[in-house]
PDB file of all heavy atoms in Angstrom:
ATOM      1  N   SER A  14     129.718-230.771-174.786  1.00 84.00           N
ATOM      2  CA  SER A  14     131.097-230.412-174.456  1.00 84.00           C
ATOM      3  C   SER A  14     131.195-229.383-173.335  1.00 84.00           C
ATOM      4  O   SER A  14     132.274-229.167-172.791  1.00 84.00           O
ATOM      5  CB  SER A  14     131.810-229.871-175.697  1.00 84.00           C
ATOM      6  OG  SER A  14     131.435-228.517-175.954  1.00 84.00           O
ATOM      7  N   THR A  15     130.075-228.735-172.989  1.00 84.00           N
ATOM      8  CA  THR A  15     130.118-227.682-171.971  1.00 84.00           C
ATOM      9  C   THR A  15     129.965-228.231-170.553  1.00 84.00           C
ATOM     10  O   THR A  15     129.988-227.469-169.592  1.00 84.00           O
ATOM     11  CB  THR A  15     129.026-226.630-172.216  1.00 84.00           C
ATOM     12  OG1 THR A  15     127.734-227.242-172.081  1.00 84.00           O
ATOM     13  CG2 THR A  15     129.150-226.008-173.593  1.00 84.00           C
ATOM     14  N   ALA A  16     129.769-229.545-170.414  1.00 85.00           N
ATOM     15  CA  ALA A  16     129.658-230.126-169.071  1.00 85.00           C
ATOM     16  C   ALA A  16     130.961-229.910-168.312  1.00 85.00           C
ATOM     17  O   ALA A  16     132.051-229.983-168.867  1.00 85.00           O
ATOM     18  CB  ALA A  16     129.336-231.616-169.165  1.00 85.00           C
ATOM     19  N   GLY A  17     130.844-229.652-167.013  1.00 89.00           N
ATOM     20  CA  GLY A  17     132.039-229.433-166.206  1.00 89.00           C
ATOM     21  C   GLY A  17     131.762-228.456-165.083  1.00 89.00           C
ATOM     22  O   GLY A  17     130.614-228.260-164.662  1.00 89.00           O
ATOM     23  N   GLN A  18     132.807-227.786-164.596  1.00 92.00           N
ATOM     24  CA  GLN A  18     132.673-226.917-163.423  1.00 92.00           C
ATOM     25  C   GLN A  18     131.749-225.732-163.694  1.00 92.00           C
ATOM     26  O   GLN A  18     130.980-225.332-162.821  1.00 92.00           O
ATOM     27  CB  GLN A  18     134.047-226.403-162.988  1.00 92.00           C
ATOM     28  CG  GLN A  18     134.017-225.565-161.713  1.00 92.00           C
ATOM     29  CD  GLN A  18     133.408-226.305-160.533  1.00 92.00           C
ATOM     30  OE1 GLN A  18     133.767-227.452-160.279  1.00 92.00           O
ATOM     31  NE2 GLN A  18     132.494-225.658-159.821  1.00 92.00           N
ATOM     32  N   LEU A  19     131.800-225.156-164.896  1.00 89.00           N
ATOM     33  CA  LEU A  19     130.926-224.017-165.187  1.00 89.00           C
ATOM     34  C   LEU A  19     129.457-224.430-165.161  1.00 89.00           C
ATOM     35  O   LEU A  19     128.584-223.657-164.789  1.00 89.00           O
ATOM     36  CB  LEU A  19     131.285-223.409-166.546  1.00 89.00           C
ATOM     37  CG  LEU A  19     132.639-222.704-166.622  1.00 89.00           C
ATOM     38  CD1 LEU A  19     132.923-222.251-168.053  1.00 89.00           C
ATOM     39  CD2 LEU A  19     132.687-221.520-165.678  1.00 89.00           C
ATOM     40  N   ASP A  20     129.186-225.657-165.559  1.00 90.00           N
ATOM     41  CA  ASP A  20     127.847-226.214-165.489  1.00 90.00           C
ATOM     42  C   ASP A  20     127.375-226.260-164.023  1.00 90.00           C
ATOM     43  O   ASP A  20     126.244-225.887-163.696  1.00 90.00           O
ATOM     44  CB  ASP A  20     127.888-227.630-166.075  1.00 90.00           C
ATOM     45  CG  ASP A  20     126.568-228.073-166.666  1.00 90.00           C
ATOM     46  OD1 ASP A  20     125.964-227.294-167.416  1.00 90.00           O
ATOM     47  OD2 ASP A  20     126.138-229.195-166.368  1.00 90.00           O
ATOM     48  N   ILE A  21     128.264-226.697-163.145  1.00 94.00           N
ATOM     49  CA  ILE A  21     127.966-226.745-161.712  1.00 94.00           C
ATOM     50  C   ILE A  21     127.797-225.339-161.157  1.00 94.00           C
ATOM     51  O   ILE A  21     126.921-225.073-160.318  1.00 94.00           O
ATOM     52  CB  ILE A  21     129.076-227.513-160.969  1.00 94.00           C
ATOM     53  CG1 ILE A  21     129.065-228.985-161.398  1.00 94.00           C
ATOM     54  CG2 ILE A  21     128.912-227.397-159.457  1.00 94.00           C
ATOM     55  CD1 ILE A  21     130.258-229.782-160.897  1.00 94.00           C
ATOM     56  N   ASP A  22     128.634-224.398-161.625  1.00 93.00           N
ATOM     57  CA  ASP A  22     128.531-223.007-161.162  1.00 93.00           C
ATOM     58  C   ASP A  22     127.154-222.423-161.448  1.00 93.00           C
ATOM     59  O   ASP A  22     126.628-221.621-160.661  1.00 93.00           O
ATOM     60  CB  ASP A  22     129.595-222.141-161.835  1.00 93.00           C
ATOM     61  CG  ASP A  22     131.001-222.441-161.344  1.00 93.00           C
ATOM     62  OD1 ASP A  22     131.129-223.126-160.297  1.00 93.00           O
ATOM     63  OD2 ASP A  22     131.963-222.006-162.002  1.00 93.00           O
ATOM     64  N   CYS A  23     126.558-222.808-162.587  1.00 91.00           N
ATOM     65  CA  CYS A  23     125.223-222.323-162.938  1.00 91.00           C
ATOM     66  C   CYS A  23     124.209-222.746-161.875  1.00 91.00           C
ATOM     67  O   CYS A  23     123.409-221.931-161.401  1.00 91.00           O
ATOM     68  CB  CYS A  23     124.816-222.856-164.309  1.00 91.00           C
ATOM     69  SG  CYS A  23     123.084-222.597-164.740  1.00 91.00           S
ATOM     70  N   LEU A  24     124.248-224.005-161.476  1.00 94.00           N
ATOM     71  CA  LEU A  24     123.323-224.482-160.448  1.00 94.00           C
ATOM     72  C   LEU A  24     123.630-223.833-159.105  1.00 94.00           C
ATOM     73  O   LEU A  24     122.713-223.442-158.373  1.00 94.00           O
ATOM     74  CB  LEU A  24     123.400-226.010-160.334  1.00 94.00           C
ATOM     75  CG  LEU A  24     122.514-226.650-159.261  1.00 94.00           C
ATOM     76  CD1 LEU A  24     121.045-226.264-159.430  1.00 94.00           C
ATOM     77  CD2 LEU A  24     122.670-228.165-159.274  1.00 94.00           C
ATOM     78  N   ALA A  25     124.909-223.676-158.785  1.00 94.00           N
ATOM     79  CA  ALA A  25     125.287-223.054-157.510  1.00 94.00           C
ATOM     80  C   ALA A  25     124.753-221.629-157.411  1.00 94.00           C
ATOM     81  O   ALA A  25     124.238-221.199-156.367  1.00 94.00           O
ATOM     82  CB  ALA A  25     126.805-223.061-157.360  1.00 94.00           C
ATOM     83  N   THR A  26     124.865-220.872-158.500  1.00 92.00           N
ATOM     84  CA  THR A  26     124.409-219.489-158.492  1.00 92.00           C
ATOM     85  C   THR A  26     122.889-219.418-158.424  1.00 92.00           C
ATOM     86  O   THR A  26     122.321-218.528-157.792  1.00 92.00           O
ATOM     87  CB  THR A  26     124.916-218.757-159.748  1.00 92.00           C
ATOM     88  OG1 THR A  26     126.303-219.003-159.900  1.00 92.00           O
ATOM     89  CG2 THR A  26     124.694-217.259-159.625  1.00 92.00           C
ATOM     90  N   THR A  27     122.216-220.357-159.073  1.00 92.00           N
ATOM     91  CA  THR A  27     120.752-220.404-159.002  1.00 92.00           C
ATOM     92  C   THR A  27     120.293-220.725-157.586  1.00 92.00           C
ATOM     93  O   THR A  27     119.357-220.102-157.065  1.00 92.00           O
ATOM     94  CB  THR A  27     120.218-221.454-159.986  1.00 92.00           C
ATOM     95  OG1 THR A  27     120.664-221.132-161.305  1.00 92.00           O
ATOM     96  CG2 THR A  27     118.698-221.512-159.966  1.00 92.00           C
ATOM     97  N   ILE A  28     120.952-221.671-156.946  1.00 94.00           N
ATOM     98  CA  ILE A  28     120.633-221.997-155.555  1.00 94.00           C
ATOM     99  C   ILE A  28     120.838-220.772-154.666  1.00 94.00           C
ATOM    100  O   ILE A  28     119.991-220.429-153.828  1.00 94.00           O
ATOM    101  CB  ILE A  28     121.501-223.179-155.071  1.00 94.00           C
ATOM    102  CG1 ILE A  28     121.042-224.474-155.739  1.00 94.00           C
ATOM    103  CG2 ILE A  28     121.469-223.315-153.551  1.00 94.00           C
ATOM    104  CD1 ILE A  28     121.963-225.660-155.487  1.00 94.00           C
ATOM    105  N   ALA A  29     121.963-220.075-154.862  1.00 91.00           N
ATOM    106  CA  ALA A  29     122.246-218.890-154.058  1.00 91.00           C
ATOM    107  C   ALA A  29     121.176-217.822-154.242  1.00 91.00           C
ATOM    108  O   ALA A  29     120.758-217.168-153.279  1.00 91.00           O
ATOM    109  CB  ALA A  29     123.620-218.325-154.427  1.00 91.00           C
ATOM    110  N   ARG A  30     120.709-217.661-155.475  1.00 88.00           N
ATOM    111  CA  ARG A  30     119.689-216.636-155.705  1.00 88.00           C
ATOM    112  C   ARG A  30     118.377-217.009-155.015  1.00 88.00           C
ATOM    113  O   ARG A  30     117.703-216.159-154.441  1.00 88.00           O
ATOM    114  CB  ARG A  30     119.455-216.418-157.194  1.00 88.00           C
ATOM    115  CG  ARG A  30     118.531-215.228-157.409  1.00 88.00           C
ATOM    116  CD  ARG A  30     118.341-214.816-158.832  1.00 88.00           C
ATOM    117  NE  ARG A  30     117.526-213.615-158.855  1.00 88.00           N
ATOM    118  CZ  ARG A  30     116.876-213.182-159.913  1.00 88.00           C
ATOM    119  NH1 ARG A  30     116.948-213.843-161.046  1.00 88.00           N
ATOM    120  NH2 ARG A  30     116.154-212.087-159.849  1.00 88.00           N
ATOM    121  N   LEU A  31     118.009-218.265-155.069  1.00 90.00           N
ATOM    122  CA  LEU A  31     116.763-218.679-154.421  1.00 90.00           C
ATOM    123  C   LEU A  31     116.868-218.589-152.901  1.00 90.00           C
ATOM    124  O   LEU A  31     115.876-218.369-152.211  1.00 90.00           O
ATOM    125  CB  LEU A  31     116.397-220.101-154.844  1.00 90.00           C
ATOM    126  CG  LEU A  31     115.985-220.255-156.318  1.00 90.00           C
ATOM    127  CD1 LEU A  31     115.727-221.714-156.648  1.00 90.00           C
ATOM    128  CD2 LEU A  31     114.757-219.406-156.645  1.00 90.00           C
ATOM    129  N   GLU A  32     118.084-218.763-152.381  1.00 89.00           N
ATOM    130  CA  GLU A  32     118.290-218.641-150.936  1.00 89.00           C
ATOM    131  C   GLU A  32     118.246-217.192-150.465  1.00 89.00           C
ATOM    132  O   GLU A  32     117.887-216.919-149.316  1.00 89.00           O
ATOM    133  CB  GLU A  32     119.640-219.243-150.544  1.00 89.00           C
ATOM    134  CG  GLU A  32     119.707-220.750-150.651  1.00 89.00           C
ATOM    135  CD  GLU A  32     121.121-221.286-150.491  1.00 89.00           C
ATOM    136  OE1 GLU A  32     122.088-220.527-150.732  1.00 89.00           O
ATOM    137  OE2 GLU A  32     121.266-222.466-150.130  1.00 89.00           O
ATOM    138  N   THR A  33     118.599-216.252-151.331  1.00 84.00           N
ATOM    139  CA  THR A  33     118.795-214.873-150.873  1.00 84.00           C
ATOM    140  C   THR A  33     117.885-213.836-151.528  1.00 84.00           C
ATOM    141  O   THR A  33     117.695-212.755-150.981  1.00 84.00           O
ATOM    142  CB  THR A  33     120.255-214.430-151.141  1.00 84.00           C
ATOM    143  OG1 THR A  33     120.510-214.490-152.552  1.00 84.00           O
ATOM    144  CG2 THR A  33     121.232-215.341-150.406  1.00 84.00           C
ATOM    145  N   ASP A  34     117.325-214.151-152.703  1.00 83.00           N
ATOM    146  CA  ASP A  34     116.665-213.092-153.479  1.00 83.00           C
ATOM    147  C   ASP A  34     115.186-213.333-153.733  1.00 83.00           C
ATOM    148  O   ASP A  34     114.510-212.486-154.313  1.00 83.00           O
ATOM    149  CB  ASP A  34     117.391-212.921-154.830  1.00 83.00           C
ATOM    150  CG  ASP A  34     116.939-211.679-155.587  1.00 83.00           C
ATOM    151  OD1 ASP A  34     116.991-210.577-155.001  1.00 83.00           O
ATOM    152  OD2 ASP A  34     116.504-211.819-156.739  1.00 83.00           O
ATOM    153  N   LEU A  35     114.636-214.451-153.284  1.00 83.00           N
ATOM    154  CA  LEU A  35     113.257-214.778-153.627  1.00 83.00           C
ATOM    155  C   LEU A  35     112.274-213.753-153.070  1.00 83.00           C
ATOM    156  O   LEU A  35     111.317-213.361-153.741  1.00 83.00           O
ATOM    157  CB  LEU A  35     112.913-216.180-153.132  1.00 83.00           C
ATOM    158  CG  LEU A  35     111.763-216.907-153.812  1.00 83.00           C
ATOM    159  CD1 LEU A  35     111.906-216.900-155.325  1.00 83.00           C
ATOM    160  CD2 LEU A  35     111.674-218.346-153.310  1.00 83.00           C
ATOM    161  N   ASP A  36     112.518-213.296-151.846  1.00 83.00           N
ATOM    162  CA  ASP A  36     111.615-212.301-151.274  1.00 83.00           C
ATOM    163  C   ASP A  36     111.742-210.969-152.020  1.00 83.00           C
ATOM    164  O   ASP A  36     110.751-210.274-152.237  1.00 83.00           O
ATOM    165  CB  ASP A  36     111.914-212.103-149.788  1.00 83.00           C
ATOM    166  CG  ASP A  36     110.723-211.516-149.044  1.00 83.00           C
ATOM    167  OD1 ASP A  36     109.612-212.071-149.172  1.00 83.00           O
ATOM    168  OD2 ASP A  36     110.900-210.502-148.354  1.00 83.00           O
ATOM    169  N   ALA A  37     112.961-210.617-152.435  1.00 83.00           N
ATOM    170  CA  ALA A  37     113.146-209.381-153.212  1.00 83.00           C
ATOM    171  C   ALA A  37     112.467-209.484-154.573  1.00 83.00           C
ATOM    172  O   ALA A  37     111.980-208.483-155.109  1.00 83.00           O
ATOM    173  CB  ALA A  37     114.634-209.088-153.388  1.00 83.00           C
ATOM    174  N   MET A  38     112.421-210.698-155.150  1.00 83.00           N
ATOM    175  CA  MET A  38     111.681-210.884-156.406  1.00 83.00           C
ATOM    176  C   MET A  38     110.213-210.537-156.210  1.00 83.00           C
ATOM    177  O   MET A  38     109.593-209.911-157.070  1.00 83.00           O
ATOM    178  CB  MET A  38     111.801-212.332-156.882  1.00 83.00           C
ATOM    179  CG  MET A  38     113.125-212.710-157.483  1.00 83.00           C
ATOM    180  SD  MET A  38     112.990-214.389-158.172  1.00 83.00           S
ATOM    181  CE  MET A  38     114.532-215.082-157.641  1.00 83.00           C
ATOM    182  N   ARG A  39     109.660-210.966-155.088  1.00 84.00           N
ATOM    183  CA  ARG A  39     108.261-210.656-154.798  1.00 84.00           C
ATOM    184  C   ARG A  39     108.073-209.150-154.619  1.00 84.00           C
ATOM    185  O   ARG A  39     107.084-208.574-155.079  1.00 84.00           O
ATOM    186  CB  ARG A  39     107.810-211.417-153.547  1.00 84.00           C
ATOM    187  CG  ARG A  39     107.695-212.916-153.770  1.00 84.00           C
ATOM    188  CD  ARG A  39     107.736-213.706-152.475  1.00 84.00           C
ATOM    189  NE  ARG A  39     106.563-213.490-151.649  1.00 84.00           N
ATOM    190  CZ  ARG A  39     105.492-214.274-151.643  1.00 84.00           C
ATOM    191  NH1 ARG A  39     105.435-215.327-152.444  1.00 84.00           N
ATOM    192  NH2 ARG A  39     104.467-214.033-150.844  1.00 84.00           N
ATOM    193  N   ALA A  40     109.058-208.505-153.983  1.00 86.00           N
ATOM    194  CA  ALA A  40     108.977-207.046-153.805  1.00 86.00           C
ATOM    195  C   ALA A  40     109.040-206.341-155.154  1.00 86.00           C
ATOM    196  O   ALA A  40     108.332-205.355-155.393  1.00 86.00           O
ATOM    197  CB  ALA A  40     110.107-206.570-152.892  1.00 86.00           C
ATOM    198  N   ARG A  41     109.904-206.834-156.061  1.00 85.00           N
ATOM    199  CA  ARG A  41     109.974-206.235-157.399  1.00 85.00           C
ATOM    200  C   ARG A  41     108.665-206.455-158.155  1.00 85.00           C
ATOM    201  O   ARG A  41     108.187-205.561-158.862  1.00 85.00           O
ATOM    202  CB  ARG A  41     111.142-206.838-158.186  1.00 85.00           C
ATOM    203  CG  ARG A  41     112.496-206.252-157.835  1.00 85.00           C
ATOM    204  CD  ARG A  41     113.561-206.690-158.814  1.00 85.00           C
ATOM    205  NE  ARG A  41     113.866-208.100-158.681  1.00 85.00           N
ATOM    206  CZ  ARG A  41     114.758-208.598-157.839  1.00 85.00           C
ATOM    207  NH1 ARG A  41     115.426-207.794-157.033  1.00 85.00           N
ATOM    208  NH2 ARG A  41     114.977-209.894-157.777  1.00 85.00           N
ATOM    209  N   ALA A  42     108.107-207.649-158.032  1.00 84.00           N
ATOM    210  CA  ALA A  42     106.836-207.939-158.700  1.00 84.00           C
ATOM    211  C   ALA A  42     105.747-206.991-158.197  1.00 84.00           C
ATOM    212  O   ALA A  42     104.954-206.453-158.974  1.00 84.00           O
ATOM    213  CB  ALA A  42     106.433-209.394-158.452  1.00 84.00           C
TER     214      ALA A  42
END
């Protein structure tokens, strides 16, 4: 029942994080 726009938002936010934060993840590591 949770399928819908919020489901898409989850993927959108994950894509955004991989586009912008992956290098910072390495710095934190």
Side-chain angles (χ1 to χ4, degrees):
S14 78
T15 64
Q18 184 57 48
L19 292 175
D20 207 47
I21 294 171
D22 289 346
C23 169
L24 178 55
T26 311
T27 302
I28 289 171
R30 187 174 184 199
L31 292 177
E32 290 170 337
T33 61
D34 191 54
L35 203 51
D36 202 52
M38 285 187 223
R39 290 160 68 95
R41 280 191 291 273

